[in-house]
Amino acid sequence: MGYGLLAGAIAAEILATTSMKYSEGFTKLWPSVVTGAGYLIAFALLAQALKTLQVGTAYAIWSGVGTAAVAVIGFLFLGESLTAAKIAGILLIIAGVAVLNLGGAH
């Protein structure tokens, strides 16, 4: 159950961060509303996930997967560049999360 809540928190955070780009500095109403609601939902779900997951591992997964996903979304949909350094960074994030989980995450 904890990982399901964490997945929901990640999805909400990705939606909120992407919406923030479209809010144009919080000058557009609906993207701003989605940003605020998305972060509220993300933190609420993360808080619930932390009832059963270790905080270090859960936060690493939440922030790492969110960061990697937003970087890919930026490239695919927002016209942002994807350099070799960015690809290496995303791969290092994924490797770090995997190592944390292999290290005994419960």
Side-chain angles (χ1 to χ4, degrees), residues 9 44 76 106:
L76 292 176
H106 300 197

Side-chain angles (χ1 to χ4, degrees), residues 2-92:
Y3 284 106
L5 291 166
L6 183 58
I10 292 167
E13 188 266 336
I14 292 167
L15 176 66
T17 302
T18 304
S19 296
M20 189 184 309
K21 172 71 174 174
Y22 290 106
S23 77
E24 297 184 17
F26 296 111
T27 61
K28 303 246 179 191
L29 176 63
W30 291 113
S32 299
V33 169
V34 172
T35 298
Y39 281 120
L40 183 66
I41 292 166
F43 281 110
L45 291 173
L46 180 60
Q48 293 302 308
L50 292 177
K51 289 180 177 180
T52 58
L53 301 176
Q54 295 179 5
V55 68
T57 302
Y59 188 73
I61 293 168
W62 181 69
S63 60
V65 172
T67 300
V70 169
V72 171
I73 288 168
F75 170 70
L76 292 176
F77 302 108
L78 301 174
E80 296 178 359
S81 66
L82 189 61
T83 64
K86 286 183 181 179
I87 292 169
I90 291 168
L91 293 174
L92 286 169

